Amino acid sequence: MKSVQKEIDERTNLTSSNKFELLLFRLGTDGALGQSELFGINVFKIREIVAMPAITPIVGATPHSLGVVNLRGQVIPVLDLPSIVGCKPTTGLNIMLVTEYARTTQAFAVESVEDIVRLDWNQVISAESSGAGHNLVTSIARLDGNTDGTRLAQVLDVEAILQMVSPEEEKHQVDPEKVGPKLKLKPGTIILAADDSFVARSLIEQELKVLQAPYEMVKSGKEAWERLNALARTAEAEGLNITDKVCMVLTDLEMPEMDGFTLTRNIKQDSRLSDLPVVIHSSLLGSANEDHVRSVGANGYVAKFVAEDLANTIRSVLPK
């Protein structure tokens, strides 16, 4: 039998080949066609999967909250994921997915867990780019490859879900006093930022505006890579360096078509772009991810989303 550590190592090493593993689950029937569709979350976000335990309802809880459970000495909030996305379970809320995400632990109630599949990020397309965009779905995974009739799974935007169910007073706001003074960038340069989450892009844009930093925002590593190459060609035609156009790259890890690890590796292995500072800004925590950040040559790693931490990390990698 494969050891737990070996399985962890194998999953972590997927990042060197633009691959990841997706946990597939069902939430019941949708309100439109009455069908049971597949949904997915990156395995790296899942701490454990357990049969639904007894839940303690909380008085005055927010909508979509089922209450809390005591699991291994930790009290964890449980969210009704089918009600959040508009589905109705046919067999009940049978499984609980315990997730660790952006410095928080929470559980999602689902109807059933189907499988874990290993995919290449190029099998995943942005929901917005495909015209199927919804604020709670970041991307669509083509489970059988780019073939007619492939099974499709909706990859949920956990950032947007947590933002939606949070009490108003707990929602993220960028405090100008905490992020500090405006950034001093080389004139004519921008920060190029990539994130597939609508909520994450909104928060990053808020912060960069407070810091008075010119920026461009894209939705995937592939878009960022294509934009960098276009800017490098423009700089070369003008007799300039890419650092005269871009002062740094800020990238998420999980993104359709090309992930942040692959984007960073491509940048650092390209002689035209290798001097660009790269900061990885991710909800995926843990020493394994931080080790991979260093191995691909990123200049910084910051967990989502604490505005002052992000500002401090950006300042630490910008050219003096």
Side-chain angles (χ1 to χ4, degrees):
M1 180 177 285
K2 198 181 295 184
S3 72
V4 172
Q5 186 58 50
K6 186 175 181 181
E7 288 184 1
I8 292 171
D9 291 343
E10 285 184 0
R11 284 190 173 133
T12 302
N13 290 334
L14 289 176
T15 57
S16 64
S17 55
N18 203 41
K19 295 181 185 293
F20 73 111
E21 287 187 331
L22 191 68
L23 176 73
L24 300 177
F25 54 89
R26 295 187 187 272
L27 301 175
T29 56
D30 64 70
L33 300 176
Q35 298 178 172
S36 178
E37 302 296 341
L38 284 170
F39 294 86
I41 293 179
N42 192 322
V43 168
F44 266 125
K45 288 179 178 165
I46 305 295
R47 192 179 85 182
E48 56 186 312
I49 302 168
V50 298
M52 184 60 68
I55 298 175
T56 301
I58 298 297
V59 175
T62 57
H64 309 301
S65 170
L66 294 173
V68 297
V69 296
N70 184 64
L71 188 65
R72 310 191 203 297
Q74 184 178 11
V75 175
I76 300 171
V78 184
L79 301 174
D80 184 346
L81 194 52
S83 75
I84 290 170
V85 304
C87 289
K88 185 176 181 179
T90 55
T91 64
L93 297 173
N94 306 308
I95 302 294
M96 190 172 76
L97 309 180
V98 182
T99 65
E100 292 183 334
Y101 184 88
R103 312 182 194 219
T104 64
T105 300
Q106 55 281 309
F108 293 105
V110 304
E111 182 176 51
S112 64
V113 168
E114 295 286 306
D115 199 2
I116 292 176
V117 293
R118 185 167 294 186
L119 303 174
D120 193 293
W121 275 111
N122 62 25
Q123 291 177 246
V124 183
I125 59 173
S126 165
E128 292 179 60
S129 300
S130 68
H134 187 286
N135 286 350
L136 299 184
V137 177
T138 60
S139 50
I140 307 295
R142 297 171 289 191
L143 302 179
D144 308 308
N146 188 17
T147 59
D148 291 344
T150 180
R151 294 172 300 153
L152 300 176
Q154 301 173 62
V155 182
L156 293 176
D157 187 343
V158 182
E159 288 169 325
I161 289 171
L162 294 180
Q163 180 83 346
M164 186 184 91
V165 302
S166 295
E168 195 63 36
E169 62 270 18
E170 292 181 9
K171 291 184 184 294
H172 290 300
Q173 295 294 332
V174 176
D175 185 343
E177 292 187 4
K178 290 185 177 180
V179 301
K182 71 176 185 178
L183 297 177
K184 296 179 180 179
L185 307 183
K186 185 176 182 179
T189 64
I190 62 165
I191 291 175
L192 182 64
D195 203 296
D196 66 332
S197 167
F198 169 81
V199 169
R201 291 198 302 273
S202 174
L203 292 170
I204 292 167
E205 288 181 351
Q206 279 186 53
E207 177 142 351
L208 294 178
K209 286 176 182 176
V210 169
L211 292 170
Q212 299 180 45
Y215 66 89
E216 285 189 26
M217 183 70 69
V218 296
K219 302 181 185 71
S220 73
K222 183 181 178 184
E223 283 187 51
W225 178 241
E226 291 172 348
R227 183 61 179 140
L228 282 173
N229 277 279
L231 289 168
R233 289 192 294 270
T234 300
E236 186 177 16
E238 296 174 0
L240 302 173
N241 190 282
I242 186 63
T243 53
D244 296 310
K245 299 287 184 181
V246 181
C247 61
M248 67 163 285
V249 175
L250 177 67
T251 178
D252 188 19
L253 284 183
E254 297 180 281
M255 293 183 291
E257 300 181 285
M258 180 187 292
D259 67 12
F261 286 120
T262 303
L263 172 63
T264 303
R265 188 182 305 109
N266 287 350
I267 292 170
K268 294 302 182 179
Q269 291 178 354
D270 189 313
S271 59
R272 303 167 303 160
L273 309 174
S274 58
D275 289 338
L276 281 176
V278 179
V279 168
I280 289 179
H281 183 223
S282 176
S283 60
L284 297 180
L285 306 180
S287 58
N289 282 313
E290 294 186 32
D291 288 343
H292 274 272
V293 165
R294 286 189 286 270
S295 72
V296 296
N299 302 82
Y301 181 87
V302 59
K304 293 178 178 177
F305 184 85
V306 177
E308 53 266 43
D309 288 356
L310 178 56
N312 291 336
T313 303
I314 290 173
R315 286 192 177 90
S316 71
V317 304
L318 284 174
K320 305 303 181 189

